[in-house]
Amino acid sequence: MKNEVLANLEGFKKLIDQYTKNFGEFYNGIKPIPVSSEINPYELAHNELGDTISELQIAFCELPDQLQRRLLDLGFNTIISYDNNADLYEYRKFVHENDLFSKTLTFTVRIYAEVELAEKFIRLEKWDKYDNLPQKDFNSHEKLLSM
């Protein structure tokens, strides 16, 4: 059982990497190719991106329930909500217009890190303690200003 869960986590991390790569290519498709008459291949869509998101949805369902809850608390549903070309186009437009590309990358790094943390709990045979983790607070550093 432990090996199966670890394999699922490893597969999930690979899909997060693929999503990050695919979304970066698609996001950059909003810009014309410099000094070229060619159309950017990702101007309108990225066929692999939708497939990767579908695979992520399936892989998500294979994760332990506790990890699923923590990933959803981190906002993982943002990634899986845009699994078709029409919604991805609108999502990219929103990200571009609001200058959020670096935040989307930060977001995927946080998801990846949480999966790696879960892996450590499993490898150290401490999985029963995973639910004891506090909810992440990514603005906690600002509390230092009021100290």
Side-chain angles (χ1 to χ4, degrees):
M1 176 84 166
K2 176 179 169 180
N3 290 338
E4 181 182 342
V5 172
L6 289 171
N8 288 342
L9 294 176
E10 195 59 38
F12 189 82
K13 288 190 321 184
K14 287 179 182 174
L15 287 168
I16 290 293
D17 284 342
Q18 188 64 40
Y19 169 85
T20 304
K21 175 185 174 288
N22 291 161
F23 186 76
E25 291 170 343
F26 180 56
Y27 181 80
N28 287 320
I30 209 164
K31 305 170 196 166
I33 297 174
V35 193
S36 175
S37 60
E38 293 179 44
I39 290 179
N40 192 313
Y42 305 117
E43 183 177 358
L44 298 176
H46 191 298
N47 294 329
E48 289 179 38
L49 181 56
D51 290 342
T52 300
I53 295 169
S54 295
E55 290 176 36
L56 263 172
Q57 291 178 60
I58 294 165
F60 176 81
C61 293
E62 296 293 326
L63 299 176
D65 292 345
Q66 302 96 312
L67 179 55
Q68 287 181 15
R69 283 192 298 275
R70 284 188 62 88
L71 293 179
L72 289 173
D73 286 345
L74 290 174
F76 179 71
N77 56 323
T78 301
I79 288 177
I80 60 176
S81 294
Y82 307 104
D83 62 353
N84 63 73
N85 286 333
D87 290 335
L88 280 166
Y89 186 87
E90 290 300 317
Y91 177 61
R92 177 182 66 180
K93 180 179 169 189
F94 175 81
V95 169
H96 180 73
E97 288 173 351
N98 293 284
D99 196 25
L100 297 173
F101 183 66
S102 64
K103 288 189 179 197
T104 64
L105 295 179
T106 300
F107 178 68
T108 59
V109 168
R110 288 177 177 164
I111 295 293
Y112 195 95
E114 188 64 34
V115 175
E116 285 190 321
L117 179 62
E119 277 182 317
K120 289 175 184 170
F121 270 81
I122 292 167
R123 288 184 197 286
L124 295 172
E125 298 183 3
K126 302 284 185 187
W127 186 248
D128 59 322
K129 304 291 185 195
Y130 185 75
D131 275 341
N132 295 342
L133 287 169
Q135 184 175 12
K136 303 258 178 159
D137 179 0
F138 296 108
N139 295 316
S140 61
H141 60 280
E142 292 179 7
K143 293 175 185 164
L144 294 172
L145 297 173
S146 64
M147 295 180 149

